Amino acid sequence: MVSSFTIRAATAEDAPDMVRLINIADHGLPLWRWGRLEGGEGDPWQAGRDSVRREDQVVNWKNGTVATLGSDIVALLLAYPLERDTPTGEAEHPVFEPLKALKAKAVGSYYIHVLAAYAEYRRRGLGKLLMERAERMAGGRDLALIVSDGNAPARRFYDQLGFHEAAREAIVTADDWKAEGENWLLLAKPSRA
């Protein structure tokens, strides 16, 4: 089912699709954050594109792998080795504290920050293909990711791939941002190496 798709490293020019897919994967939290950059002035989508093009944090195009159909980007894997000093670029706000706490427990892993596809390209095997690529890129490290307990399809998908719950933290919301579910779950998969 994935034979017509191409998998390639992301480029800086892929930033517009990358920010849309990052926002889809993270329940609108990135757009909420980008809307607060520089005092909330300006276009949050442009702030996201600018952020993804920066190379001084790990959520950038250099850590992206995209699936394309023709010239269209249809899915994104954003992954990197998570070390204690990894600059994730998360804002100082209570909403991010549970995510930071879970990431602290995943230090040393190969962290899957985003795995997302546009709705019309889901259930075609791209997620599995991109996760297989992540395992190869991990270089023997365990894999880790965070998902909401309210995202049942993602949880089933990761269960099928051999991930297990390693920790959980209550989701913190804001007046103008809510997430489905009650907890963020840190899921881990031991290395096969």
Side-chain angles (χ1 to χ4, degrees):
M1 214 186 295
V2 296
S3 61
S4 56
F5 296 97
T6 301
I7 307 296
R8 65 167 173 79
T11 67
E13 291 75 34
D14 297 330
D17 279 294
M18 289 182 71
V19 297
R20 285 191 292 273
L21 288 162
I22 290 167
N23 196 58
I24 289 167
D26 289 342
H27 309 277
L29 186 56
L31 188 62
W32 181 81
R33 178 184 169 271
W34 296 325
R36 278 152 185 69
L37 294 177
E38 300 175 20
E41 304 283 323
D43 177 8
W45 291 108
Q46 184 59 49
R49 290 188 291 272
D50 293 344
S51 180
V52 167
R53 289 183 181 117
R54 290 178 49 185
E55 296 177 23
D56 62 341
Q57 57 192 26
V58 293
V59 180
N60 74 58
W61 64 271
K62 285 190 171 188
N63 289 322
T65 300
V66 295
T68 63
L69 182 60
S71 62
D72 295 331
I73 293 172
V74 299
L76 170 67
L77 167 71
L78 185 63
Y80 46 85
L82 185 60
E83 304 298 343
R84 286 210 186 283
D85 58 352
T86 300
T88 59
E90 288 173 332
E92 294 297 325
H93 189 283
V95 163
F96 297 103
E97 293 309 312
L99 296 166
K100 289 178 185 178
L102 291 174
K103 284 180 185 172
K105 294 176 183 179
V107 166
S109 70
Y110 194 72
Y111 184 71
I112 310 300
H113 191 94
V114 170
L115 178 65
Y118 289 119
E120 61 269 31
Y121 297 102
R122 293 180 191 149
R123 304 189 61 81
R124 296 187 183 196
L126 287 170
K128 186 173 186 220
L129 187 68
L130 288 167
M131 289 301 287
E132 288 168 355
R133 185 166 180 132
E135 284 192 68
R136 290 191 302 274
M137 294 182 340
R141 291 176 181 248
D142 293 350
L143 296 179
L145 58 91
I146 297 172
V147 66
S148 165
D149 64 1
N151 189 342
R155 291 181 65 201
R156 281 192 301 275
F157 173 73
Y158 294 124
D159 285 347
Q160 291 169 356
L161 293 179
F163 282 82
H164 66 276
E165 183 180 332
R168 66 176 48 212
E169 291 282 338
I171 293 173
V172 175
T173 61
D175 289 341
D176 54 349
W177 179 80
K178 307 282 184 232
E180 291 182 25
E182 296 178 11
N183 296 288
W184 293 119
L185 307 178
L186 175 63
L187 303 183
K189 180 179 181 182
S191 167
R192 290 191 226 172

